Amino acid sequence: MKVTEHIKNANGKTQFSFEILPPLKGQNINQIFKNIDPLMEFKPPFIDVTYHREEYIYKELENGLLQKKVVRKRPGTVGICAAIQNKYQVDAIPHILCGGFTKEDTENFLIDLGFLGIDNVMALRGDAVKSETYFAPEKEGHSYASDLVEQISELNKGQYLDAEIQNQAETNFCIGVSGYPEKHIEAPSLDSDIHFLKKKINNGATYIVTQMFFDNSKYFAFVDKCRSAGITVPIIPGLKPFATKKQLNLIPHRFSLELPDTLIVEVVKCKNNAAVRELGVEWCLQQSKELIAADVPFLHYYSMGKSDNIYAVAQSLF
Ligand code: FAD
């Protein structure tokens, strides 16, 4: 079922959902199931599975030269989605990127998803390859998520890249896109970012999931700005329980966001990471309660491979 249908059927009640990462290459899928199993108690109508593009690693050869190798550390997004749908009978939402995909790759990826009975996709541009500063699309690929959304919408109308293709079966994807309450790192301003967010909606996306934030006022202000800009689709808040001292520097750097001073002070006071984890659960719980009171359609949690703290938050709410 589509995310938008799940929202409609809930009649205003806030629902629980979460995102998982495919395991590192070499690990077993049971690792994923171990994290998902406890969270099924809270009846998530869907689970997102992230997509991780290739990385370049450089190996030093005996002659001193460097050999460039292309690796994908976390393959398996589509397989994991199929396994989740099969094991738990809930919707699995694969993330799909512009990065590393030609338009032809995208079309074939979407055809596979359609065959698997997957109704939703999260359409993203992706970041630059780790060793590069700026995002570069494939030669025959998309530069922005809005272009990717357009291709998915075209396929939903039975329009394939090859116009002469026989039997133009229509796909039927509900398309989600990302939104950034504290603006995307490359955007010159929040208004500019929201302008391009609207383009994704105009091209066919029907819901937004936000980047994580630790200060709800940022989310509420973002939603107000989106509504003023004429964006009317559901805006699902993304949340992550704070978990380690290291994240004080890592999260703002990695996700281009600010942490509230009160949270920083409390984290610094913690004696160890166990205490930070406890604090992170409490902080996230308070954020969640306020968002539920504001009637958000879903609370979407970023699990980053571990689910015990999300379990602790959800236990008091769902
Ligand atoms: P876009 O919407 O294309 O925007 C990228 C930048 O370009 C923005 O600054 C925007 O303002 C600007 N822009 C957009 N259109 C135009 C235009 N026409 N002209 C000029 N500027 C423009 N990454 C992964 O690798 N895998 C994942 O699974 C993944 N999942 C994510 C899930 C969520 C909910 C979020 C919030 C992020 C996720 N990301 C993931 C990270 C994401 O790929 C990066 O943040 C990436 O840098 C931007 O992707 P986007 O889809 O938001 O890009």
Side-chain angles (χ1 to χ4, degrees), residues 146-191:
S146 54
D147 305 326
L148 173 59
V149 171
E150 192 177 13
Q151 183 180 1
I152 304 168
S153 297
E154 293 290 299
L155 207 63
N156 279 350
K157 291 185 225 142
Q159 287 172 20
Y160 289 71
L161 293 171
D162 177 358
E164 289 175 14
I165 218 158
Q166 301 261 311
N167 305 320
Q168 299 179 328
E170 294 171 6
T171 55
N172 190 17
F173 293 111
C174 170
I175 309 167
V177 289
S178 57
Y180 300 83
E182 297 177 61
K183 96 169 183 65
H184 182 253
I185 187 167
E186 294 161 33
S189 71
L190 186 56
D191 283 347

Short mmCIF file of all heavy atoms in Angstrom, two decimals, residues 146-191:
data_model
loop_
_atom_site.label_atom_id
_atom_site.label_comp_id
_atom_site.label_asym_id
_atom_site.label_seq_id
_atom_site.Cartn_x
_atom_site.Cartn_y
_atom_site.Cartn_z
N SER A 146 14.72 16.05 -8.41
CA SER A 146 13.50 16.43 -9.14
C SER A 146 13.46 15.76 -10.52
O SER A 146 12.38 15.38 -11.00
CB SER A 146 13.40 17.95 -9.27
OG SER A 146 14.57 18.47 -9.84
N ASP A 147 14.63 15.59 -11.16
CA ASP A 147 14.66 14.93 -12.48
C ASP A 147 14.35 13.43 -12.34
O ASP A 147 13.69 12.83 -13.19
CB ASP A 147 16.04 15.10 -13.13
CG ASP A 147 16.43 16.57 -13.24
OD1 ASP A 147 15.53 17.39 -13.45
OD2 ASP A 147 17.63 16.88 -13.08
N LEU A 148 14.86 12.86 -11.25
CA LEU A 148 14.58 11.44 -10.99
C LEU A 148 13.08 11.24 -10.74
O LEU A 148 12.46 10.29 -11.25
CB LEU A 148 15.41 10.99 -9.77
CG LEU A 148 15.17 9.61 -9.20
CD1 LEU A 148 15.42 8.52 -10.25
CD2 LEU A 148 16.09 9.36 -7.99
N VAL A 149 12.50 12.15 -9.96
CA VAL A 149 11.05 12.07 -9.68
C VAL A 149 10.28 12.13 -11.00
O VAL A 149 9.32 11.38 -11.22
CB VAL A 149 10.61 13.23 -8.74
CG1 VAL A 149 9.10 13.28 -8.62
CG2 VAL A 149 11.25 13.06 -7.36
N GLU A 150 10.74 12.99 -11.89
CA GLU A 150 10.06 13.13 -13.18
C GLU A 150 10.10 11.81 -13.97
O GLU A 150 9.10 11.37 -14.52
CB GLU A 150 10.73 14.24 -14.00
CG GLU A 150 9.92 14.65 -15.20
CD GLU A 150 10.56 15.80 -15.96
OE1 GLU A 150 11.74 16.13 -15.72
OE2 GLU A 150 9.86 16.34 -16.83
N GLN A 151 11.27 11.15 -13.94
CA GLN A 151 11.37 9.88 -14.67
C GLN A 151 10.42 8.83 -14.07
O GLN A 151 9.76 8.08 -14.79
CB GLN A 151 12.81 9.34 -14.66
CG GLN A 151 12.93 8.06 -15.48
CD GLN A 151 14.33 7.46 -15.54
OE1 GLN A 151 15.28 7.99 -14.95
NE2 GLN A 151 14.46 6.34 -16.25
N ILE A 152 10.35 8.79 -12.73
CA ILE A 152 9.47 7.80 -12.09
C ILE A 152 8.01 8.11 -12.46
O ILE A 152 7.22 7.20 -12.77
CB ILE A 152 9.67 7.79 -10.55
CG1 ILE A 152 11.14 7.52 -10.20
CG2 ILE A 152 8.77 6.74 -9.90
CD1 ILE A 152 11.51 7.76 -8.73
N SER A 153 7.66 9.40 -12.45
CA SER A 153 6.28 9.80 -12.80
C SER A 153 5.96 9.42 -14.24
O SER A 153 4.84 8.99 -14.55
CB SER A 153 6.10 11.30 -12.63
OG SER A 153 6.28 11.66 -11.30
N GLU A 154 6.94 9.56 -15.12
CA GLU A 154 6.73 9.19 -16.54
C GLU A 154 6.45 7.69 -16.64
O GLU A 154 5.55 7.26 -17.36
CB GLU A 154 7.98 9.52 -17.37
CG GLU A 154 8.26 11.00 -17.51
CD GLU A 154 7.24 11.73 -18.37
OE1 GLU A 154 7.15 11.38 -19.54
OE2 GLU A 154 6.55 12.62 -17.84
N LEU A 155 7.23 6.90 -15.89
CA LEU A 155 7.04 5.45 -15.93
C LEU A 155 5.67 5.08 -15.36
O LEU A 155 5.03 4.12 -15.82
CB LEU A 155 8.17 4.75 -15.15
CG LEU A 155 8.50 3.33 -15.60
CD1 LEU A 155 9.02 3.28 -17.03
CD2 LEU A 155 9.55 2.71 -14.67
N ASN A 156 5.22 5.85 -14.37
CA ASN A 156 3.87 5.64 -13.83
C ASN A 156 2.80 5.87 -14.89
O ASN A 156 1.67 5.42 -14.74
CB ASN A 156 3.62 6.57 -12.63
CG ASN A 156 4.22 6.03 -11.32
OD1 ASN A 156 4.66 4.88 -11.26
ND2 ASN A 156 4.24 6.85 -10.29
N LYS A 157 3.19 6.61 -15.94
CA LYS A 157 2.23 6.83 -17.04
C LYS A 157 2.51 5.89 -18.21
O LYS A 157 2.00 6.07 -19.31
CB LYS A 157 2.34 8.29 -17.53
CG LYS A 157 1.84 9.30 -16.52
CD LYS A 157 1.89 10.69 -17.15
CE LYS A 157 2.46 11.72 -16.22
NZ LYS A 157 3.31 12.72 -16.83
N GLY A 158 3.44 4.95 -18.00
CA GLY A 158 3.77 3.99 -19.06
C GLY A 158 4.74 4.54 -20.08
O GLY A 158 4.89 3.98 -21.16
N GLN A 159 5.41 5.65 -19.73
CA GLN A 159 6.37 6.22 -20.68
C GLN A 159 7.79 5.75 -20.35
O GLN A 159 8.38 6.19 -19.36
CB GLN A 159 6.27 7.74 -20.68
CG GLN A 159 5.00 8.19 -21.36
CD GLN A 159 4.75 9.67 -21.22
OE1 GLN A 159 5.64 10.44 -20.95
NE2 GLN A 159 3.51 10.07 -21.43
N TYR A 160 8.29 4.85 -21.20
CA TYR A 160 9.63 4.29 -21.02
C TYR A 160 10.63 5.15 -21.80
O TYR A 160 10.24 5.98 -22.63
CB TYR A 160 9.66 2.84 -21.50
CG TYR A 160 8.90 1.91 -20.58
CD1 TYR A 160 7.50 1.94 -20.53
CD2 TYR A 160 9.56 1.02 -19.75
CE1 TYR A 160 6.80 1.10 -19.67
CE2 TYR A 160 8.87 0.18 -18.89
CZ TYR A 160 7.48 0.23 -18.86
OH TYR A 160 6.79 -0.60 -18.01
N LEU A 161 11.92 4.92 -21.55
CA LEU A 161 12.95 5.72 -22.24
C LEU A 161 12.89 5.47 -23.74
O LEU A 161 13.03 6.38 -24.54
CB LEU A 161 14.34 5.37 -21.70
CG LEU A 161 14.58 5.77 -20.25
CD1 LEU A 161 15.90 5.19 -19.75
CD2 LEU A 161 14.59 7.29 -20.09
N ASP A 162 12.67 4.21 -24.09
CA ASP A 162 12.52 3.86 -25.50
C ASP A 162 11.03 3.99 -25.85
O ASP A 162 10.22 3.14 -25.47
CB ASP A 162 13.03 2.42 -25.70
CG ASP A 162 12.84 1.96 -27.13
OD1 ASP A 162 12.28 2.74 -27.95
OD2 ASP A 162 13.26 0.82 -27.43
N ALA A 163 10.71 5.04 -26.58
CA ALA A 163 9.29 5.33 -26.86
C ALA A 163 8.64 4.25 -27.71
O ALA A 163 7.41 4.16 -27.76
CB ALA A 163 9.19 6.69 -27.54
N GLU A 164 9.48 3.43 -28.35
CA GLU A 164 8.89 2.43 -29.25
C GLU A 164 8.66 1.09 -28.57
O GLU A 164 8.29 0.10 -29.21
CB GLU A 164 9.79 2.26 -30.48
CG GLU A 164 9.68 3.50 -31.35
CD GLU A 164 10.60 3.50 -32.53
OE1 GLU A 164 11.15 2.44 -32.86
OE2 GLU A 164 10.75 4.59 -33.10
N ILE A 165 8.89 1.06 -27.28
CA ILE A 165 8.76 -0.20 -26.56
C ILE A 165 7.30 -0.70 -26.66
O ILE A 165 6.37 0.10 -26.66
CB ILE A 165 9.20 0.01 -25.09
CG1 ILE A 165 9.96 -1.19 -24.58
CG2 ILE A 165 8.07 0.31 -24.16
CD1 ILE A 165 10.84 -0.84 -23.41
N GLN A 166 7.15 -2.02 -26.75
CA GLN A 166 5.80 -2.61 -26.87
C GLN A 166 5.17 -2.73 -25.49
O GLN A 166 5.86 -2.82 -24.49
CB GLN A 166 5.94 -4.03 -27.45
CG GLN A 166 6.61 -4.09 -28.80
CD GLN A 166 5.59 -4.19 -29.92
OE1 GLN A 166 4.69 -5.02 -29.86
NE2 GLN A 166 5.72 -3.35 -30.92
N ASN A 167 3.86 -2.78 -25.40
CA ASN A 167 3.14 -3.02 -24.13
C ASN A 167 3.64 -2.12 -23.01
O ASN A 167 4.34 -2.56 -22.12
CB ASN A 167 3.31 -4.48 -23.67
CG ASN A 167 2.88 -5.44 -24.75
OD1 ASN A 167 1.89 -5.22 -25.43
ND2 ASN A 167 3.65 -6.50 -24.94
N GLN A 168 3.31 -0.86 -23.09
CA GLN A 168 3.87 0.09 -22.13
C GLN A 168 3.15 0.02 -20.78
O GLN A 168 2.34 0.88 -20.43
CB GLN A 168 3.83 1.49 -22.71
CG GLN A 168 4.67 1.56 -23.99
CD GLN A 168 4.66 2.92 -24.62
OE1 GLN A 168 3.68 3.63 -24.53
NE2 GLN A 168 5.75 3.27 -25.28
N ALA A 169 3.49 -1.06 -20.02
CA ALA A 169 2.84 -1.25 -18.71
C ALA A 169 3.17 -0.08 -17.80
O ALA A 169 4.33 0.34 -17.71
CB ALA A 169 3.34 -2.55 -18.08
N GLU A 170 2.14 0.43 -17.11
CA GLU A 170 2.37 1.56 -16.20
C GLU A 170 2.82 1.04 -14.83
O GLU A 170 2.27 0.06 -14.34
CB GLU A 170 1.07 2.34 -16.00
CG GLU A 170 0.62 3.03 -17.27
CD GLU A 170 -0.77 3.62 -17.17
OE1 GLU A 170 -1.36 3.60 -16.07
OE2 GLU A 170 -1.26 4.11 -18.21
N THR A 171 3.80 1.69 -14.25
CA THR A 171 4.12 1.38 -12.85
C THR A 171 3.20 2.25 -11.98
O THR A 171 2.44 3.06 -12.51
CB THR A 171 5.60 1.70 -12.53
OG1 THR A 171 5.87 3.06 -12.88
CG2 THR A 171 6.53 0.77 -13.30
N ASN A 172 3.26 2.04 -10.68
CA ASN A 172 2.30 2.75 -9.81
C ASN A 172 2.97 3.14 -8.50
O ASN A 172 2.51 2.78 -7.42
CB ASN A 172 1.11 1.80 -9.57
CG ASN A 172 -0.03 2.52 -8.90
OD1 ASN A 172 -0.09 3.74 -8.88
ND2 ASN A 172 -0.94 1.76 -8.30
N PHE A 173 4.09 3.85 -8.62
CA PHE A 173 4.85 4.17 -7.41
C PHE A 173 4.36 5.44 -6.75
O PHE A 173 4.08 6.44 -7.41
CB PHE A 173 6.33 4.39 -7.76
CG PHE A 173 7.03 3.14 -8.22
CD1 PHE A 173 7.44 3.01 -9.54
CD2 PHE A 173 7.27 2.10 -7.34
CE1 PHE A 173 8.07 1.86 -9.97
CE2 PHE A 173 7.91 0.94 -7.75
CZ PHE A 173 8.31 0.83 -9.08
N CYS A 174 4.28 5.37 -5.41
CA CYS A 174 4.08 6.56 -4.60
C CYS A 174 5.52 7.06 -4.33
O CYS A 174 6.38 6.29 -3.90
CB CYS A 174 3.40 6.14 -3.30
SG CYS A 174 3.29 7.39 -2.04
N ILE A 175 5.75 8.33 -4.60
CA ILE A 175 7.14 8.83 -4.56
C ILE A 175 7.36 9.76 -3.36
O ILE A 175 6.69 10.79 -3.22
CB ILE A 175 7.48 9.60 -5.86
CG1 ILE A 175 7.12 8.76 -7.09
CG2 ILE A 175 8.96 9.99 -5.88
CD1 ILE A 175 7.13 9.55 -8.40
N GLY A 176 8.31 9.39 -2.53
CA GLY A 176 8.71 10.24 -1.41
C GLY A 176 9.99 10.99 -1.75
O GLY A 176 10.80 10.51 -2.55
N VAL A 177 10.17 12.16 -1.14
CA VAL A 177 11.41 12.91 -1.34
C VAL A 177 11.88 13.49 0.00
O VAL A 177 11.11 13.52 0.97
CB VAL A 177 11.25 14.07 -2.36
CG1 VAL A 177 11.09 13.55 -3.78
CG2 VAL A 177 10.10 14.99 -1.98
N SER A 178 13.12 13.96 0.02
CA SER A 178 13.69 14.50 1.26
C SER A 178 13.43 15.99 1.40
O SER A 178 13.31 16.71 0.40
CB SER A 178 15.20 14.26 1.25
OG SER A 178 15.73 14.87 0.09
N GLY A 179 13.36 16.44 2.66
CA GLY A 179 13.25 17.87 2.96
C GLY A 179 14.19 18.18 4.12
O GLY A 179 14.45 17.31 4.95
N TYR A 180 14.68 19.41 4.16
CA TYR A 180 15.72 19.76 5.13
C TYR A 180 15.29 20.97 5.98
O TYR A 180 15.42 22.11 5.53
CB TYR A 180 17.04 20.08 4.40
CG TYR A 180 17.53 18.89 3.60
CD1 TYR A 180 17.03 18.64 2.32
CD2 TYR A 180 18.47 18.01 4.13
CE1 TYR A 180 17.44 17.53 1.60
CE2 TYR A 180 18.89 16.90 3.42
CZ TYR A 180 18.37 16.67 2.14
OH TYR A 180 18.77 15.57 1.44
N PRO A 181 14.77 20.73 7.18
CA PRO A 181 14.33 21.85 8.03
C PRO A 181 15.43 22.88 8.26
O PRO A 181 15.15 24.06 8.45
CB PRO A 181 13.93 21.16 9.34
CG PRO A 181 13.57 19.77 8.94
CD PRO A 181 14.46 19.43 7.79
N GLU A 182 16.70 22.43 8.25
CA GLU A 182 17.80 23.38 8.46
C GLU A 182 18.56 23.62 7.17
O GLU A 182 19.72 23.97 7.18
CB GLU A 182 18.69 22.87 9.59
CG GLU A 182 17.90 22.80 10.89
CD GLU A 182 18.67 22.24 12.06
OE1 GLU A 182 19.69 22.81 12.44
OE2 GLU A 182 18.22 21.20 12.60
N LYS A 183 17.92 23.39 6.06
CA LYS A 183 18.38 23.52 4.68
C LYS A 183 19.46 22.51 4.33
O LYS A 183 20.24 22.09 5.17
CB LYS A 183 18.78 24.97 4.33
CG LYS A 183 20.24 25.31 4.45
CD LYS A 183 20.54 26.66 3.82
CE LYS A 183 22.02 26.96 3.88
NZ LYS A 183 22.86 26.05 3.10
N HIS A 184 19.47 22.13 3.07
CA HIS A 184 20.50 21.21 2.56
C HIS A 184 21.84 21.95 2.55
O HIS A 184 21.89 23.15 2.27
CB HIS A 184 20.12 20.75 1.14
CG HIS A 184 21.10 19.78 0.57
ND1 HIS A 184 21.99 20.13 -0.43
CD2 HIS A 184 21.36 18.48 0.86
CE1 HIS A 184 22.73 19.07 -0.74
NE2 HIS A 184 22.37 18.06 0.03
N ILE A 185 22.90 21.22 2.82
CA ILE A 185 24.22 21.86 2.97
C ILE A 185 24.63 22.72 1.76
O ILE A 185 25.25 23.76 1.90
CB ILE A 185 25.31 20.79 3.28
CG1 ILE A 185 26.64 21.46 3.61
CG2 ILE A 185 25.47 19.80 2.13
CD1 ILE A 185 27.66 20.53 4.23
N GLU A 186 24.23 22.31 0.56
CA GLU A 186 24.66 23.05 -0.63
C GLU A 186 23.73 24.22 -0.97
O GLU A 186 24.07 25.04 -1.82
CB GLU A 186 24.71 22.11 -1.85
CG GLU A 186 25.76 21.03 -1.74
CD GLU A 186 25.48 19.88 -2.70
OE1 GLU A 186 24.94 20.10 -3.79
OE2 GLU A 186 25.81 18.74 -2.33
N ALA A 187 22.57 24.26 -0.36
CA ALA A 187 21.58 25.29 -0.75
C ALA A 187 22.03 26.65 -0.24
O ALA A 187 22.43 26.79 0.91
CB ALA A 187 20.21 24.93 -0.19
N PRO A 188 21.95 27.68 -1.08
CA PRO A 188 22.36 29.02 -0.63
C PRO A 188 21.44 29.60 0.45
O PRO A 188 21.87 30.44 1.24
CB PRO A 188 22.32 29.86 -1.91
CG PRO A 188 21.52 29.09 -2.89
CD PRO A 188 21.60 27.65 -2.50
N SER A 189 20.19 29.15 0.49
CA SER A 189 19.28 29.60 1.54
C SER A 189 18.15 28.58 1.69
O SER A 189 17.94 27.75 0.79
CB SER A 189 18.67 30.96 1.19
OG SER A 189 17.74 30.80 0.13
N LEU A 190 17.42 28.67 2.81
CA LEU A 190 16.30 27.75 3.01
C LEU A 190 15.21 28.00 1.96
O LEU A 190 14.60 27.06 1.45
CB LEU A 190 15.75 27.92 4.44
CG LEU A 190 14.66 26.94 4.87
CD1 LEU A 190 15.10 25.49 4.74
CD2 LEU A 190 14.24 27.21 6.32
N ASP A 191 15.00 29.26 1.62
CA ASP A 191 13.98 29.58 0.61
C ASP A 191 14.32 28.93 -0.72
O ASP A 191 13.46 28.40 -1.42
CB ASP A 191 13.85 31.10 0.42
CG ASP A 191 13.07 31.74 1.58
OD1 ASP A 191 12.45 30.97 2.34
OD2 ASP A 191 13.10 32.96 1.70
#
